[in-house]
Amino acid sequence: MAIFVGLASVLAAAGLFRVSWRVSRLGVGLAQETRNALAGTEAVRATCVASGIWRHTYRFATPDGTSRVVHVARTSEQDLRKVGSHAWLRYRTDAPGRASFAVVDMVIMPLGAVMWFFLATFCAACAAVFLAFGYAAVF
């Protein structure tokens, strides 16, 4: 019976190690996506000029004085901007028509990557505990 418990613990540990590896790859992917999203961007304060069901329209001025109008997707059902309100946006310097909310690029995405790494660490720790249980059950 102890052999079966040990074997089950080792199999559970192997599964958790595999999950830990895949989750850590998701964290690395999100970190790379964050780095790419921040590369070549600049932060500006924009004014909401229209608010729709799926997106908001903002107007801002680039440092060289050019006025730009961009469409930014809504982030949630609670994202109810009012015309005239301000938001911090990050826009691509090579394509100023593409913009996103600065808080998403600067806070949410890096925090998501950190949370993926914490989950991967937790899975690896649980796998180590299962290996210890398997060792204790057999020996």
Side-chain angles (χ1 to χ4, degrees), residues 2 4 19 27-28 30 32 36 44 46 49 54 57 75 79-80 83 86 96 124-126 135 137:
F4 293 123
V19 167
V28 167
L30 188 57
Q32 289 172 344
N36 292 339
V44 291
V49 293
W54 304 111
T57 304
T75 55
D79 183 12
L80 302 173
V83 173
H86 299 287
C126 288
Y135 180 81

Side-chain angles (χ1 to χ4, degrees), residues 22-32 112-113 116-117:
R22 295 189 70 161
V23 166
S24 66
R25 294 299 302 159
L26 288 172
V28 167
L30 188 57
Q32 289 172 344
W116 279 119
F117 288 128

Side-chain angles (χ1 to χ4, degrees), residues 4-137:
F4 293 123
V5 171
L7 184 61
S9 295
V10 169
L11 289 174
L16 279 171
F17 275 130
R18 183 165 187 255
V19 167
S20 174
W21 174 256
R22 295 189 70 161
V23 166
S24 66
R25 294 299 302 159
L26 288 172
V28 167
L30 188 57
Q32 289 172 344
E33 185 179 340
T34 302
R35 185 188 67 213
N36 292 339
L38 292 177
T41 62
E42 196 165 319
V44 291
R45 186 171 181 203
T47 304
C48 183
V49 293
S51 183
I53 296 173
W54 304 111
R55 63 185 182 182
H56 304 297
T57 304
Y58 287 94
R59 178 176 289 128
F60 63 91
T62 59
D64 61 0
T66 307
S67 180
R68 299 282 183 182
V69 175
V70 294
H71 303 288
V72 181
R74 288 179 60 183
T75 55
S76 69
E77 290 292 324
Q78 289 79 29
D79 183 12
L80 302 173
R81 303 284 174 172
K82 294 188 175 156
V83 173
S85 65
H86 299 287
W88 283 99
L89 300 180
R90 292 194 70 83
Y91 74 95
R92 297 202 55 87
T93 53
D94 57 349
R98 293 182 55 204
S100 63
F101 288 112
V103 70
V104 172
D105 293 339
M106 300 291 291
V107 177
I108 304 301
M109 288 175 64
L111 185 62
V114 168
M115 289 172 50
W116 279 119
F117 288 128
F118 279 143
L119 182 61
T121 304
F122 178 74
C123 288
C126 288
V129 168
F130 274 117
L131 280 178
F133 284 158
Y135 180 81

